[in-house]
Amino acid sequence: MTMSATSCGDQASRSFGIVPGDPESTVIIHVPHASRLIPDAVRAGIFLDDAALDRELDVVTDACTDVIAMMVAARAPVRPWVFVNGCSRLVVDPERDPDGHKYLDAAGLGVVYTGTSDGFVLRDPSDDEVSGLLVQYFEPYVAALTELVDQRVAAAGRVVVIDLHSYPLDPVKFEPITAMVRPEIGLGTDAAHTPPELLEAAHTAFAPFHIDQDTPYEGCYVPPARDEVRNHIQALTVELRRDLYMDHDLSFVEPAVEPIVASLSALVSDIDQHAAIRR
């Protein structure tokens, strides 16, 4: 996978990668949680031993969603843009609000995680350490994604951000909503940024799967933007249940991912076809 930035292990590099799409594409596939990479300086502040950290990464990493995004980009008639986080969300979570969220902060799952998925202590950073992480990783990431959104709106008139995630078959402790039946595909929406036609297109594209809306996670990520740009942003989260494409030992099963790639490619194609009609 070719990107415009090196991995987060290089302290002098950016912690994200942008894979250019077609100049006419209105779609950005955002992949924030696929990486397991943690720079040595950040690893030093984590209390877990290597085995426990690996287990934690197994839970919180949206494994192979970056691979799926690139497979979709290669197949779509109009290639979407792909924005990928090069670091684990245990470094910083780029989708969290740095000003805080009552539930997430209480669980130690704010922009800088201090708790594990099962409720234990992950690390205890000082205020200065948190500020340093935000300056080095969070702020450049958000600035670059915001710039890309601006560019896409200027070039194509609007942008549709598809936020690609995954979740395990069994609920984990930190989930605010514990559903008895966990859908194969979860669609997360925002009242202001997920129009009915986008949601309808997603339901059509993923018709072969069991779909639910805003379960087990609700909402979707809308990148920060100026008001005049924000009005041209549409957003949708696509959550993949991991057992659809991963084996019990968390290995990637490429033949099993084919229906997912086909459906997501169909959604991307539908979005850009309708955008072309409007133009």
Side-chain angles (χ1 to χ4, degrees):
M1 179 167 57
T2 302
M3 295 188 181
S4 64
T6 53
S7 78
C8 72
D10 178 354
Q11 297 295 308
S13 71
R14 297 179 298 173
S15 58
F16 52 85
I18 301 172
V19 184
D22 189 284
E24 298 296 316
S25 177
T26 63
V27 179
I28 298 172
I29 302 178
H30 180 218
V31 188
H33 297 154
S35 178
R36 297 173 69 98
L37 292 175
I38 300 175
D40 290 343
V42 179
R43 173 66 181 96
I46 292 176
F47 299 155
L48 306 181
D49 62 27
D50 288 347
L53 179 57
D54 278 343
R55 289 192 296 271
E56 181 67 10
L57 287 168
D58 286 345
V59 174
V60 303
T61 303
D62 293 345
C64 300
T65 48
D66 53 345
V67 176
I68 293 171
M70 294 307 299
M71 293 173 71
V72 170
R75 178 175 301 191
V78 179
R79 187 182 182 96
W81 294 67
V82 181
F83 193 107
V84 182
N85 189 0
C87 286
S88 168
R89 68 198 298 185
L90 298 184
V91 179
V92 297
D93 192 327
E95 294 197 327
R96 298 292 195 247
D97 184 349
D99 293 328
H101 182 287
K102 184 176 180 181
Y103 168 80
L104 294 171
D105 287 349
L109 302 173
V111 64
V112 175
Y113 289 14
T114 58
T116 65
S117 59
D118 51 3
F120 292 96
V121 177
L122 177 73
R123 60 183 165 187
D124 185 21
S126 67
D127 290 344
D128 286 346
E129 288 170 330
V130 170
S131 296
L133 290 169
L134 295 180
V135 169
Q136 185 168 0
Y137 297 103
F138 183 86
E139 293 173 4
Y141 185 105
V142 173
L145 182 54
T146 301
E147 181 180 0
L148 179 60
V149 167
D150 283 353
Q151 291 172 351
R152 292 292 81 225
V153 170
R158 67 164 179 163
V159 66
V160 181
V161 179
I162 297 177
D163 209 33
L164 189 59
H165 293 261
S166 72
Y167 58 88
L169 176 61
D170 298 318
V172 292
K173 185 173 182 178
F174 65 74
E175 291 183 6
I177 301 173
T178 303
M180 296 299 293
V181 178
R182 293 166 74 80
E184 294 176 319
I185 304 293
L187 300 176
T189 66
D190 178 90
H193 293 278
T194 310
E197 60 268 23
L198 176 57
L199 189 57
E200 181 180 354
H203 276 274
T204 299
F206 287 104
F209 298 92
H210 171 214
I211 308 168
D212 208 340
Q213 185 174 322
D214 293 312
T215 298
Y217 299 100
E218 61 182 353
C220 61
Y221 176 67
V222 180
R226 294 174 287 112
D227 287 344
E228 57 268 34
V229 173
R230 194 173 181 85
N231 293 333
H232 298 282
I233 299 174
Q234 297 180 7
L236 178 74
T237 292
V238 175
E239 295 267 8
L240 312 173
R241 209 177 67 199
R242 287 178 204 153
D243 63 298
L244 292 177
Y245 64 93
M246 300 191 77
D247 211 339
H248 59 88
D249 62 354
L250 301 182
S251 58
F252 183 64
V253 183
E254 189 163 349
V257 84
E258 171 58 28
I260 297 172
V261 172
S263 289
L264 194 48
S265 299
L267 174 59
V268 170
S269 177
D270 183 84
I271 291 168
D272 273 326
Q273 283 178 358
H274 282 84
I277 291 171
R278 290 188 184 94
R279 286 198 293 268

mmCIF file of all heavy atoms in Angstrom, residues 191-232:
data_model
loop_
_atom_site.group_PDB
_atom_site.id
_atom_site.type_symbol
_atom_site.label_atom_id
_atom_site.label_comp_id
_atom_site.label_asym_id
_atom_site.label_seq_id
_atom_site.Cartn_x
_atom_site.Cartn_y
_atom_site.Cartn_z
ATOM 1 N N ALA A 191 -27.431 13.208 12.320
ATOM 2 C CA ALA A 191 -28.679 13.826 11.875
ATOM 3 C C ALA A 191 -28.441 14.922 10.847
ATOM 4 O O ALA A 191 -29.240 15.110 9.919
ATOM 5 C CB ALA A 191 -29.438 14.384 13.081
ATOM 6 N N ALA A 192 -27.342 15.650 10.988
ATOM 7 C CA ALA A 192 -27.090 16.778 10.098
ATOM 8 C C ALA A 192 -26.300 16.400 8.851
ATOM 9 O O ALA A 192 -26.356 17.111 7.841
ATOM 10 C CB ALA A 192 -26.352 17.878 10.857
ATOM 11 N N HIS A 193 -25.565 15.292 8.902
ATOM 12 C CA HIS A 193 -24.618 15.006 7.819
ATOM 13 C C HIS A 193 -24.845 13.671 7.113
ATOM 14 O O HIS A 193 -24.060 13.309 6.225
ATOM 15 C CB HIS A 193 -23.187 15.062 8.367
ATOM 16 C CG HIS A 193 -22.769 16.433 8.792
ATOM 17 N ND1 HIS A 193 -22.300 17.385 7.912
ATOM 18 C CD2 HIS A 193 -22.781 17.036 10.008
ATOM 19 C CE1 HIS A 193 -22.018 18.498 8.563
ATOM 20 N NE2 HIS A 193 -22.309 18.315 9.836
ATOM 21 N N THR A 194 -25.863 12.922 7.499
ATOM 22 C CA THR A 194 -26.181 11.673 6.811
ATOM 23 C C THR A 194 -27.558 11.809 6.188
ATOM 24 O O THR A 194 -28.578 11.500 6.824
ATOM 25 C CB THR A 194 -26.166 10.474 7.774
ATOM 26 O OG1 THR A 194 -24.946 10.478 8.528
ATOM 27 C CG2 THR A 194 -26.245 9.165 6.999
ATOM 28 N N PRO A 195 -27.636 12.293 4.945
ATOM 29 C CA PRO A 195 -28.945 12.483 4.319
ATOM 30 C C PRO A 195 -29.616 11.148 4.011
ATOM 31 O O PRO A 195 -28.938 10.116 3.899
ATOM 32 C CB PRO A 195 -28.603 13.241 3.032
ATOM 33 C CG PRO A 195 -27.194 12.871 2.736
ATOM 34 C CD PRO A 195 -26.528 12.680 4.066
ATOM 35 N N PRO A 196 -30.938 11.142 3.876
ATOM 36 C CA PRO A 196 -31.663 9.891 3.622
ATOM 37 C C PRO A 196 -31.170 9.141 2.389
ATOM 38 O O PRO A 196 -31.108 7.913 2.391
ATOM 39 C CB PRO A 196 -33.115 10.358 3.448
ATOM 40 C CG PRO A 196 -33.197 11.642 4.201
ATOM 41 C CD PRO A 196 -31.855 12.284 4.043
ATOM 42 N N GLU A 197 -30.789 9.868 1.345
ATOM 43 C CA GLU A 197 -30.347 9.184 0.126
ATOM 44 C C GLU A 197 -29.022 8.451 0.328
ATOM 45 O O GLU A 197 -28.791 7.403 -0.286
ATOM 46 C CB GLU A 197 -30.256 10.159 -1.048
ATOM 47 C CG GLU A 197 -29.280 11.317 -0.869
ATOM 48 C CD GLU A 197 -29.920 12.563 -0.272
ATOM 49 O OE1 GLU A 197 -30.963 12.431 0.390
ATOM 50 O OE2 GLU A 197 -29.353 13.664 -0.471
ATOM 51 N N LEU A 198 -28.149 8.981 1.177
ATOM 52 C CA LEU A 198 -26.894 8.290 1.460
ATOM 53 C C LEU A 198 -27.163 7.022 2.272
ATOM 54 O O LEU A 198 -26.602 5.960 1.987
ATOM 55 C CB LEU A 198 -25.937 9.211 2.223
ATOM 56 C CG LEU A 198 -24.610 8.605 2.691
ATOM 57 C CD1 LEU A 198 -23.818 8.032 1.523
ATOM 58 C CD2 LEU A 198 -23.777 9.644 3.454
ATOM 59 N N LEU A 199 -28.027 7.131 3.258
ATOM 60 C CA LEU A 199 -28.368 5.963 4.064
ATOM 61 C C LEU A 199 -29.079 4.906 3.220
ATOM 62 O O LEU A 199 -28.806 3.703 3.346
ATOM 63 C CB LEU A 199 -29.247 6.394 5.233
ATOM 64 C CG LEU A 199 -29.524 5.342 6.305
ATOM 65 C CD1 LEU A 199 -28.226 4.807 6.902
ATOM 66 C CD2 LEU A 199 -30.410 5.934 7.399
ATOM 67 N N GLU A 200 -29.954 5.340 2.329
ATOM 68 C CA GLU A 200 -30.648 4.400 1.441
ATOM 69 C C GLU A 200 -29.659 3.696 0.521
ATOM 70 O O GLU A 200 -29.749 2.476 0.295
ATOM 71 C CB GLU A 200 -31.697 5.143 0.620
ATOM 72 C CG GLU A 200 -32.493 4.241 -0.317
ATOM 73 C CD GLU A 200 -33.523 4.998 -1.133
ATOM 74 O OE1 GLU A 200 -33.709 6.210 -0.906
ATOM 75 O OE2 GLU A 200 -34.146 4.371 -2.017
ATOM 76 N N ALA A 201 -28.683 4.444 0.001
ATOM 77 C CA ALA A 201 -27.668 3.838 -0.863
ATOM 78 C C ALA A 201 -26.860 2.794 -0.108
ATOM 79 O O ALA A 201 -26.512 1.736 -0.651
ATOM 80 C CB ALA A 201 -26.745 4.919 -1.427
ATOM 81 N N ALA A 202 -26.561 3.064 1.170
ATOM 82 C CA ALA A 202 -25.806 2.108 1.984
ATOM 83 C C ALA A 202 -26.627 0.845 2.239
ATOM 84 O O ALA A 202 -26.106 -0.276 2.161
ATOM 85 C CB ALA A 202 -25.389 2.751 3.301
ATOM 86 N N HIS A 203 -27.908 1.009 2.533
ATOM 87 C CA HIS A 203 -28.767 -0.159 2.743
ATOM 88 C C HIS A 203 -28.860 -1.005 1.469
ATOM 89 O O HIS A 203 -28.842 -2.243 1.538
ATOM 90 C CB HIS A 203 -30.161 0.284 3.190
ATOM 91 C CG HIS A 203 -30.272 0.528 4.662
ATOM 92 N ND1 HIS A 203 -30.541 -0.480 5.559
ATOM 93 C CD2 HIS A 203 -30.122 1.663 5.394
ATOM 94 C CE1 HIS A 203 -30.582 0.023 6.790
ATOM 95 N NE2 HIS A 203 -30.319 1.318 6.715
ATOM 96 N N THR A 204 -28.941 -0.356 0.332
ATOM 97 C CA THR A 204 -29.001 -1.086 -0.936
ATOM 98 C C THR A 204 -27.695 -1.827 -1.200
ATOM 99 O O THR A 204 -27.685 -3.003 -1.572
ATOM 100 C CB THR A 204 -29.297 -0.116 -2.090
ATOM 101 O OG1 THR A 204 -30.562 0.513 -1.867
ATOM 102 C CG2 THR A 204 -29.326 -0.852 -3.420
ATOM 103 N N ALA A 205 -26.579 -1.150 -0.992
ATOM 104 C CA ALA A 205 -25.269 -1.757 -1.272
ATOM 105 C C ALA A 205 -25.003 -2.950 -0.368
ATOM 106 O O ALA A 205 -24.419 -3.952 -0.795
ATOM 107 C CB ALA A 205 -24.172 -0.714 -1.124
ATOM 108 N N PHE A 206 -25.421 -2.863 0.894
ATOM 109 C CA PHE A 206 -25.150 -3.931 1.857
ATOM 110 C C PHE A 206 -26.360 -4.847 2.071
ATOM 111 O O PHE A 206 -26.442 -5.540 3.089
ATOM 112 C CB PHE A 206 -24.710 -3.326 3.201
ATOM 113 C CG PHE A 206 -23.317 -2.764 3.181
ATOM 114 C CD1 PHE A 206 -23.112 -1.393 3.115
ATOM 115 C CD2 PHE A 206 -22.211 -3.603 3.202
ATOM 116 C CE1 PHE A 206 -21.823 -0.869 3.090
ATOM 117 C CE2 PHE A 206 -20.925 -3.097 3.174
ATOM 118 C CZ PHE A 206 -20.730 -1.723 3.122
ATOM 119 N N ALA A 207 -27.249 -4.864 1.103
ATOM 120 C CA ALA A 207 -28.452 -5.692 1.214
ATOM 121 C C ALA A 207 -28.168 -7.168 1.482
ATOM 122 O O ALA A 207 -28.970 -7.836 2.163
ATOM 123 C CB ALA A 207 -29.308 -5.536 -0.042
ATOM 124 N N PRO A 208 -27.057 -7.749 0.986
ATOM 125 C CA PRO A 208 -26.797 -9.167 1.278
ATOM 126 C C PRO A 208 -26.496 -9.453 2.753
ATOM 127 O O PRO A 208 -26.461 -10.623 3.151
ATOM 128 C CB PRO A 208 -25.573 -9.487 0.414
ATOM 129 C CG PRO A 208 -25.564 -8.457 -0.668
ATOM 130 C CD PRO A 208 -26.101 -7.226 -0.010
ATOM 131 N N PHE A 209 -26.280 -8.421 3.550
ATOM 132 C CA PHE A 209 -25.878 -8.600 4.940
ATOM 133 C C PHE A 209 -27.014 -8.235 5.896
ATOM 134 O O PHE A 209 -27.961 -7.537 5.531
ATOM 135 C CB PHE A 209 -24.661 -7.723 5.264
ATOM 136 C CG PHE A 209 -23.438 -8.044 4.466
ATOM 137 C CD1 PHE A 209 -23.180 -7.379 3.270
ATOM 138 C CD2 PHE A 209 -22.535 -9.011 4.895
ATOM 139 C CE1 PHE A 209 -22.043 -7.663 2.522
ATOM 140 C CE2 PHE A 209 -21.400 -9.307 4.153
ATOM 141 C CZ PHE A 209 -21.159 -8.636 2.971
ATOM 142 N N HIS A 210 -26.874 -8.694 7.133
ATOM 143 C CA HIS A 210 -27.747 -8.231 8.204
ATOM 144 C C HIS A 210 -27.244 -6.861 8.642
ATOM 145 O O HIS A 210 -26.121 -6.728 9.143
ATOM 146 C CB HIS A 210 -27.724 -9.216 9.384
ATOM 147 C CG HIS A 210 -28.414 -8.708 10.601
ATOM 148 N ND1 HIS A 210 -28.000 -9.009 11.885
ATOM 149 C CD2 HIS A 210 -29.490 -7.875 10.752
ATOM 150 C CE1 HIS A 210 -28.782 -8.402 12.759
ATOM 151 N NE2 HIS A 210 -29.692 -7.726 12.107
ATOM 152 N N ILE A 211 -28.072 -5.840 8.468
ATOM 153 C CA ILE A 211 -27.693 -4.453 8.731
ATOM 154 C C ILE A 211 -28.497 -3.920 9.902
ATOM 155 O O ILE A 211 -29.673 -4.235 10.065
ATOM 156 C CB ILE A 211 -27.977 -3.560 7.498
ATOM 157 C CG1 ILE A 211 -27.354 -4.132 6.231
ATOM 158 C CG2 ILE A 211 -27.492 -2.137 7.733
ATOM 159 C CD1 ILE A 211 -27.850 -3.453 4.967
ATOM 160 N N ASP A 212 -27.862 -3.093 10.706
ATOM 161 C CA ASP A 212 -28.593 -2.327 11.708
ATOM 162 C C ASP A 212 -28.005 -0.925 11.734
ATOM 163 O O ASP A 212 -26.885 -0.697 11.275
ATOM 164 C CB ASP A 212 -28.499 -2.976 13.086
ATOM 165 C CG ASP A 212 -29.715 -2.672 13.952
ATOM 166 O OD1 ASP A 212 -30.427 -1.686 13.644
ATOM 167 O OD2 ASP A 212 -29.945 -3.399 14.923
ATOM 168 N N GLN A 213 -28.773 0.013 12.236
ATOM 169 C CA GLN A 213 -28.367 1.417 12.246
ATOM 170 C C GLN A 213 -28.042 1.870 13.660
ATOM 171 O O GLN A 213 -28.816 1.641 14.585
ATOM 172 C CB GLN A 213 -29.482 2.282 11.659
ATOM 173 C CG GLN A 213 -29.113 3.752 11.506
ATOM 174 C CD GLN A 213 -30.195 4.536 10.796
ATOM 175 O OE1 GLN A 213 -30.811 4.035 9.860
ATOM 176 N NE2 GLN A 213 -30.423 5.757 11.245
ATOM 177 N N ASP A 214 -26.855 2.487 13.812
ATOM 178 C CA ASP A 214 -26.395 3.031 15.091
ATOM 179 C C ASP A 214 -26.373 1.986 16.198
ATOM 180 O O ASP A 214 -26.666 2.274 17.362
ATOM 181 C CB ASP A 214 -27.246 4.245 15.492
ATOM 182 C CG ASP A 214 -27.027 5.422 14.555
ATOM 183 O OD1 ASP A 214 -25.856 5.739 14.279
ATOM 184 O OD2 ASP A 214 -28.013 6.011 14.081
ATOM 185 N N THR A 215 -26.022 0.757 15.808
ATOM 186 C CA THR A 215 -25.848 -0.355 16.746
ATOM 187 C C THR A 215 -24.714 -1.240 16.225
ATOM 188 O O THR A 215 -24.722 -1.580 15.038
ATOM 189 C CB THR A 215 -27.131 -1.208 16.858
ATOM 190 O OG1 THR A 215 -28.194 -0.401 17.352
ATOM 191 C CG2 THR A 215 -26.935 -2.390 17.774
ATOM 192 N N PRO A 216 -23.746 -1.643 17.041
ATOM 193 C CA PRO A 216 -23.594 -1.361 18.470
ATOM 194 C C PRO A 216 -22.976 0.004 18.783
ATOM 195 O O PRO A 216 -22.867 0.374 19.945
ATOM 196 C CB PRO A 216 -22.666 -2.489 18.932
ATOM 197 C CG PRO A 216 -21.832 -2.786 17.735
ATOM 198 C CD PRO A 216 -22.739 -2.593 16.566
ATOM 199 N N TYR A 217 -22.559 0.734 17.746
ATOM 200 C CA TYR A 217 -22.024 2.085 17.961
ATOM 201 C C TYR A 217 -22.890 3.069 17.197
ATOM 202 O O TYR A 217 -23.319 2.792 16.074
ATOM 203 C CB TYR A 217 -20.574 2.186 17.477
ATOM 204 C CG TYR A 217 -19.636 1.245 18.192
ATOM 205 C CD1 TYR A 217 -19.254 0.042 17.613
ATOM 206 C CD2 TYR A 217 -19.140 1.556 19.452
ATOM 207 C CE1 TYR A 217 -18.398 -0.828 18.275
ATOM 208 C CE2 TYR A 217 -18.281 0.692 20.114
ATOM 209 C CZ TYR A 217 -17.916 -0.490 19.514
ATOM 210 O OH TYR A 217 -17.069 -1.346 20.178
ATOM 211 N N GLU A 218 -23.113 4.226 17.793
ATOM 212 C CA GLU A 218 -23.969 5.207 17.139
ATOM 213 C C GLU A 218 -23.156 6.407 16.689
ATOM 214 O O GLU A 218 -22.081 6.694 17.213
ATOM 215 C CB GLU A 218 -25.083 5.644 18.079
ATOM 216 C CG GLU A 218 -24.610 6.300 19.367
ATOM 217 C CD GLU A 218 -25.764 6.655 20.278
ATOM 218 O OE1 GLU A 218 -26.937 6.505 19.844
ATOM 219 O OE2 GLU A 218 -25.509 7.077 21.410
ATOM 220 N N GLY A 219 -23.685 7.109 15.701
ATOM 221 C CA GLY A 219 -23.063 8.332 15.226
ATOM 222 C C GLY A 219 -21.998 8.078 14.176
ATOM 223 O O GLY A 219 -21.691 6.941 13.821
ATOM 224 N N CYS A 220 -21.437 9.152 13.694
ATOM 225 C CA CYS A 220 -20.344 9.053 12.727
ATOM 226 C C CYS A 220 -19.435 10.259 12.870
ATOM 227 O O CYS A 220 -19.814 11.283 13.447
ATOM 228 C CB CYS A 220 -20.863 8.914 11.297
ATOM 229 S SG CYS A 220 -21.853 10.299 10.710
ATOM 230 N N TYR A 221 -18.249 10.123 12.339
ATOM 231 C CA TYR A 221 -17.231 11.157 12.492
ATOM 232 C C TYR A 221 -17.367 12.177 11.373
ATOM 233 O O TYR A 221 -17.344 11.825 10.184
ATOM 234 C CB TYR A 221 -15.849 10.519 12.454
ATOM 235 C CG TYR A 221 -14.704 11.514 12.519
ATOM 236 C CD1 TYR A 221 -14.474 12.256 13.670
ATOM 237 C CD2 TYR A 221 -13.850 11.690 11.437
ATOM 238 C CE1 TYR A 221 -13.433 13.162 13.741
ATOM 239 C CE2 TYR A 221 -12.792 12.581 11.509
ATOM 240 C CZ TYR A 221 -12.582 13.317 12.651
ATOM 241 O OH TYR A 221 -11.551 14.220 12.724
ATOM 242 N N VAL A 222 -17.503 13.430 11.747
ATOM 243 C CA VAL A 222 -17.533 14.533 10.793
ATOM 244 C C VAL A 222 -16.294 15.380 11.033
ATOM 245 O O VAL A 222 -16.157 15.983 12.100
ATOM 246 C CB VAL A 222 -18.802 15.388 10.950
ATOM 247 C CG1 VAL A 222 -18.809 16.524 9.932
ATOM 248 C CG2 VAL A 222 -20.055 14.527 10.813
ATOM 249 N N PRO A 223 -15.359 15.395 10.085
ATOM 250 C CA PRO A 223 -14.129 16.162 10.310
ATOM 251 C C PRO A 223 -14.430 17.635 10.567
ATOM 252 O O PRO A 223 -15.385 18.189 10.012
ATOM 253 C CB PRO A 223 -13.364 15.991 8.979
ATOM 254 C CG PRO A 223 -13.935 14.760 8.362
ATOM 255 C CD PRO A 223 -15.370 14.725 8.780
ATOM 256 N N PRO A 224 -13.646 18.270 11.425
ATOM 257 C CA PRO A 224 -13.844 19.706 11.659
ATOM 258 C C PRO A 224 -13.600 20.481 10.371
ATOM 259 O O PRO A 224 -12.735 20.124 9.563
ATOM 260 C CB PRO A 224 -12.798 20.038 12.728
ATOM 261 C CG PRO A 224 -11.772 18.962 12.626
ATOM 262 C CD PRO A 224 -12.502 17.739 12.187
ATOM 263 N N ALA A 225 -14.375 21.514 10.163
ATOM 264 C CA ALA A 225 -14.250 22.301 8.933
ATOM 265 C C ALA A 225 -14.872 23.668 9.149
ATOM 266 O O ALA A 225 -15.677 23.878 10.067
ATOM 267 C CB ALA A 225 -14.941 21.585 7.764
ATOM 268 N N ARG A 226 -14.497 24.602 8.278
ATOM 269 C CA ARG A 226 -15.136 25.916 8.288
ATOM 270 C C ARG A 226 -16.627 25.751 7.968
ATOM 271 O O ARG A 226 -17.019 24.814 7.285
ATOM 272 C CB ARG A 226 -14.470 26.829 7.256
ATOM 273 C CG ARG A 226 -13.025 27.170 7.576
ATOM 274 C CD ARG A 226 -12.370 27.964 6.454
ATOM 275 N NE ARG A 226 -12.082 27.137 5.287
ATOM 276 C CZ ARG A 226 -12.693 27.256 4.125
ATOM 277 N NH1 ARG A 226 -13.653 28.159 3.974
ATOM 278 N NH2 ARG A 226 -12.368 26.489 3.106
ATOM 279 N N ASP A 227 -17.457 26.674 8.434
ATOM 280 C CA ASP A 227 -18.904 26.550 8.252
ATOM 281 C C ASP A 227 -19.280 26.408 6.782
ATOM 282 O O ASP A 227 -20.137 25.590 6.426
ATOM 283 C CB ASP A 227 -19.620 27.765 8.843
ATOM 284 C CG ASP A 227 -19.632 27.752 10.364
ATOM 285 O OD1 ASP A 227 -19.366 26.675 10.942
ATOM 286 O OD2 ASP A 227 -19.896 28.806 10.963
ATOM 287 N N GLU A 228 -18.632 27.179 5.918
ATOM 288 C CA GLU A 228 -18.993 27.139 4.502
ATOM 289 C C GLU A 228 -18.620 25.799 3.858
ATOM 290 O O GLU A 228 -19.212 25.393 2.866
ATOM 291 C CB GLU A 228 -18.357 28.301 3.733
ATOM 292 C CG GLU A 228 -16.836 28.384 3.832
ATOM 293 C CD GLU A 228 -16.372 29.267 4.974
ATOM 294 O OE1 GLU A 228 -17.030 29.302 6.026
ATOM 295 O OE2 GLU A 228 -15.318 29.911 4.804
ATOM 296 N N VAL A 229 -17.635 25.113 4.433
ATOM 297 C CA VAL A 229 -17.267 23.781 3.938
ATOM 298 C C VAL A 229 -18.116 22.717 4.629
ATOM 299 O O VAL A 229 -18.573 21.751 3.995
ATOM 300 C CB VAL A 229 -15.768 23.502 4.179
ATOM 301 C CG1 VAL A 229 -15.409 22.060 3.823
ATOM 302 C CG2 VAL A 229 -14.917 24.473 3.363
ATOM 303 N N ARG A 230 -18.354 22.892 5.910
ATOM 304 C CA ARG A 230 -19.103 21.911 6.695
ATOM 305 C C ARG A 230 -20.478 21.628 6.087
ATOM 306 O O ARG A 230 -20.983 20.506 6.154
ATOM 307 C CB ARG A 230 -19.245 22.410 8.127
ATOM 308 C CG ARG A 230 -19.691 21.353 9.126
ATOM 309 C CD ARG A 230 -19.641 21.909 10.543
ATOM 310 N NE ARG A 230 -20.031 20.909 11.519
ATOM 311 C CZ ARG A 230 -19.214 20.001 12.042
ATOM 312 N NH1 ARG A 230 -17.955 19.960 11.659
ATOM 313 N NH2 ARG A 230 -19.654 19.137 12.936
ATOM 314 N N ASN A 231 -21.082 22.629 5.480
ATOM 315 C CA ASN A 231 -22.388 22.452 4.866
ATOM 316 C C ASN A 231 -22.355 21.529 3.652
ATOM 317 O O ASN A 231 -23.407 21.112 3.167
ATOM 318 C CB ASN A 231 -22.959 23.812 4.452
ATOM 319 C CG ASN A 231 -23.286 24.690 5.641
ATOM 320 O OD1 ASN A 231 -23.567 24.190 6.729
ATOM 321 N ND2 ASN A 231 -23.242 26.003 5.460
ATOM 322 N N HIS A 232 -21.158 21.213 3.169
ATOM 323 C CA HIS A 232 -21.015 20.352 1.990
ATOM 324 C C HIS A 232 -20.410 18.989 2.352
ATOM 325 O O HIS A 232 -19.954 18.257 1.474
ATOM 326 C CB HIS A 232 -20.155 21.039 0.937
ATOM 327 C CG HIS A 232 -20.737 22.329 0.429
ATOM 328 N ND1 HIS A 232 -21.754 22.369 -0.499
ATOM 329 C CD2 HIS A 232 -20.466 23.622 0.758
ATOM 330 C CE1 HIS A 232 -22.078 23.626 -0.746
ATOM 331 N NE2 HIS A 232 -21.306 24.402 0.007
#
